[in-house]
Amino acid sequence: MKIGTILFTYHRSEHTQKVLEALEKNDVLPWKLYIFQDGIKESTNYLEWKKVNKIIRNINWCETKIYISEENKGLAKSVIMGINQVFQECDAAIILEDDCVPCKEYMSFMISALNMYKKNQQVYSISGYAWDIDLSQSDYDAYFNGRICSYGWGTWKDRWNQYEEDYHILSKIKKDLSANERLEIWGQDLKEMVIGNVIGRCDSWAVFWGLKIIEKGGYCLSPYKSLVHNIGFDGSGTHGAKLQSDDTVLIHKFKDSFRLPQKVESSKECEEEFQFLFAGKHGEDKMKLYQKVLIQWIQLKQAGKTVKIPDEWRENIAVWGKGEIYDCFLNEIKGQVTVKYIIESRQSVEEYKGIPVIALKDLPEDIKNIVVIPYFDLEIIRTKVEKTRKDIRLWGINELLQ
């Protein structure tokens, strides 16, 4: 089976360089590397675009095939046309964008999985990125779920041939009871993304791929520990807002083989975790609400006030979430209350700015108060917390800015 490797890039030279350097260090090099650079538009940083062009033309460590667009197609069109182009020569493809840095085992994992499941029509996609969920790890290095991830992924020609930009797919899914149940588990956020495409708020090809797999009842393979580090949350991308960095832990120890599940199915635990992951606010709405909190904070400071510290708090508390708002909060309460732990859906890093990051299930009994940074999802988080602990009080960060 011919497996081509694809890199989509545009005008981020540092990102592109990091991806290529990491790919060169992989234990298995691409059989052929297909590179697609989108064309220049009026707002393009021409010098950066030229730097990227030079970088991709100077690759000498594997065979390459380079495509430079004469027009600016945008991300969605570039990805769709690029994958279709590669599938004229290949049976399967591994796809990277210029902000997805692979660790050295990435290619080995992807090739192993693509070969193992090539004849299984239930499996639609393989990803090297680990979702931010807390799962009990099985005897394998990866697990099946019903949601695609576009951060360093791969698929087969026969499955990709089912891809279509179908704006009626949501209505078709909703008419099918089983498909609609799958949508509620694996893709609550996809509904908003389709609307975003229609009104021009986003330009997503992946939303239709995700919905197609949900419609078909297909499966995707994801590793428990990430083989891809996304460096695109720095505001440099055309479609990427500046968010907290992706601190996902990569696999550190070299693995010469991966244990992949034989049975294609998802667990009840996995379904519950994904349903929680995609519940609540997403995308632009989420960013607007974060901005609203920052404005409240500025107004508070201008009035000579600080955050409210409830009487119920003892010496130590925990915080759910990280990022800029967390940093502001930590600075405000310094010397009054100590943040002992940061809670993530799963333990993605050992610590963040000197404070341990733990999964909810590992929170010590003496912690009774949690400040929730994504306050707009407070009730959803409360439902999850109450399954583990009934004695915890949650405080939305917005409550402390009154």
Side-chain angles (χ1 to χ4, degrees):
M1 181 172 71
K2 286 185 178 179
I3 303 176
T5 303
I6 307 173
L7 173 62
F8 291 101
T9 190
Y10 181 31
H11 70 337
R12 294 191 288 182
S13 62
E14 285 189 25
H15 295 68
T16 303
Q17 186 71 48
K18 286 179 181 178
V19 173
L20 289 170
E21 286 174 354
L23 197 55
E24 184 182 3
K25 293 175 183 175
N26 258 247
D27 51 323
V28 179
L29 293 179
W31 164 72
K32 187 185 289 185
L33 180 58
Y34 299 82
I35 304 175
F36 294 85
Q37 184 181 19
D38 202 4
I40 299 170
K41 62 182 178 181
E42 190 174 335
S43 60
T44 300
N45 184 326
Y46 179 71
L47 292 178
E48 275 295 297
W49 189 93
K50 287 294 288 183
K51 283 182 185 178
V52 171
N53 194 262
K54 184 178 180 180
I55 289 168
I56 61 179
R57 291 186 185 279
N58 285 339
I59 297 170
N60 58 12
W61 42 268
C62 73
E63 183 181 348
T64 62
K65 199 164 186 178
I66 298 171
Y67 298 87
I68 310 298
S69 178
E70 293 182 359
E71 61 175 337
N72 185 269
K73 297 174 182 174
L75 179 62
K77 192 175 179 181
S78 293
V79 170
I80 295 165
M81 294 180 69
I83 294 174
N84 289 340
Q85 178 75 40
V86 170
F87 277 142
Q88 292 181 23
E89 299 181 12
C90 300
D91 307 299
I94 297 167
I95 301 104
L96 287 163
E97 293 181 28
D98 63 2
D99 54 7
C100 296
V101 179
C103 75
K104 64 182 180 180
E105 294 86 4
Y106 170 76
M107 288 293 292
S108 177
F109 172 80
M110 296 297 293
I111 291 169
S112 296
L114 287 168
N115 278 316
M116 181 167 177
Y117 304 110
K118 63 183 177 182
K119 293 182 180 179
N120 194 321
Q121 296 296 314
Q122 287 180 286
V123 185
Y124 276 72
S125 182
I126 310 295
S127 177
Y129 188 81
W131 286 105
D132 186 19
I133 59 175
D134 181 33
L135 282 181
S136 304
Q137 185 159 345
S138 66
D139 294 330
Y140 302 105
D141 294 310
Y143 64 95
F144 281 108
N145 57 77
R147 176 59 180 262
I148 66 121
C149 180
S150 59
Y151 299 163
W153 64 288
T155 191
W156 302 264
K157 180 179 180 178
D158 58 351
R159 268 136 281 189
W160 178 255
N161 283 342
Q162 299 176 52
Y163 178 88
E164 56 183 336
E165 191 177 291
D166 180 8
Y167 281 93
H168 299 290
I169 193 167
L170 270 178
S171 60
K172 287 189 285 186
I173 288 173
K174 287 184 174 296
K175 290 175 184 176
D176 182 315
L177 182 61
S178 296
N180 194 50
E181 287 177 356
R182 292 193 295 272
L183 180 66
E184 292 305 305
I185 295 170
W186 308 114
Q188 293 183 51
D189 60 319
L190 296 178
K191 294 175 278 188
E192 182 185 321
M193 289 175 67
V194 171
I195 295 169
N197 269 20
V198 171
I199 64 177
R201 194 169 64 193
C202 62
D203 178 27
S204 173
W205 62 270
V207 62
F208 298 108
W209 185 225
L211 288 170
K212 175 59 68 176
I213 294 171
I214 288 170
E215 180 191 30
K216 295 292 185 180
Y219 289 90
C220 307
L221 186 77
S222 300
Y224 285 99
K225 293 187 177 179
S226 199
L227 295 141
V228 175
H229 179 48
N230 191 309
I231 60 172
F233 298 108
D234 58 356
S236 62
T238 303
H239 303 284
K242 187 172 182 179
L243 303 172
Q244 65 191 46
S245 63
D246 170 29
D247 296 308
T248 303
V249 166
L250 303 182
I251 291 176
H252 292 296
K253 294 182 180 178
F254 178 79
K255 295 176 67 69
D256 55 8
S257 64
F258 290 88
R259 298 164 299 171
L260 302 177
Q262 299 283 337
K263 197 169 184 179
V264 180
E265 62 179 5
S266 61
S267 68
K268 183 65 177 175
E269 180 192 17
C270 177
E271 292 173 4
E272 288 177 353
E273 284 292 319
F274 270 84
Q275 193 162 19
F276 172 77
L277 180 64
F278 294 116
K281 298 293 183 182
H282 298 278
E284 194 170 302
D285 289 339
K286 180 177 175 179
M287 295 310 299
K288 284 179 179 177
L289 290 166
Y290 274 136
Q291 288 168 3
K292 182 180 178 181
V293 162
L294 288 171
I295 290 169
Q296 279 182 265
W297 215 310
I298 291 169
Q299 291 172 340
L300 199 70
K301 297 291 281 185
Q302 288 175 336
K305 299 178 181 178
T306 186
V307 295
K308 179 176 68 176
I309 297 180
D311 295 334
E312 295 95 322
W313 289 10
R314 296 183 182 177
E315 184 180 349
N316 301 323
I317 62 169
V319 175
W320 188 297
K322 304 191 298 288
E324 291 180 357
I325 293 177
Y326 164 82
D327 294 342
C328 290
F329 174 70
L330 193 64
N331 186 60
E332 289 280 306
I333 65 169
K334 191 178 294 183
Q336 302 177 74
V337 180
T338 301
V339 175
K340 286 288 288 184
Y341 303 98
I342 297 170
I343 301 171
E344 293 274 295
S345 295
R346 64 178 171 84
Q347 187 176 345
S348 55
V349 289
E350 292 182 0
E351 63 177 39
Y352 176 75
K353 298 191 175 181
I355 297 177
V357 178
I358 63 172
L360 176 63
K361 64 183 180 182
D362 299 322
L363 187 68
E365 290 292 328
D366 64 322
I367 302 296
K368 306 294 185 183
N369 292 279
I370 300 175
V371 176
V372 178
I373 302 299
Y375 69 96
F376 36 79
D377 291 335
L378 186 67
E379 292 309 312
I380 295 168
I381 292 171
R382 192 189 310 280
T383 301
K384 184 177 179 66
V385 169
E386 288 179 350
K387 289 182 179 179
T388 306
R389 295 272 300 274
K390 300 288 187 182
D391 61 334
I392 289 179
R393 171 83 184 267
L394 299 184
W395 306 81
I397 187 68
N398 60 319
E399 295 178 64
L400 309 178
L401 301 175
Q402 304 300 325

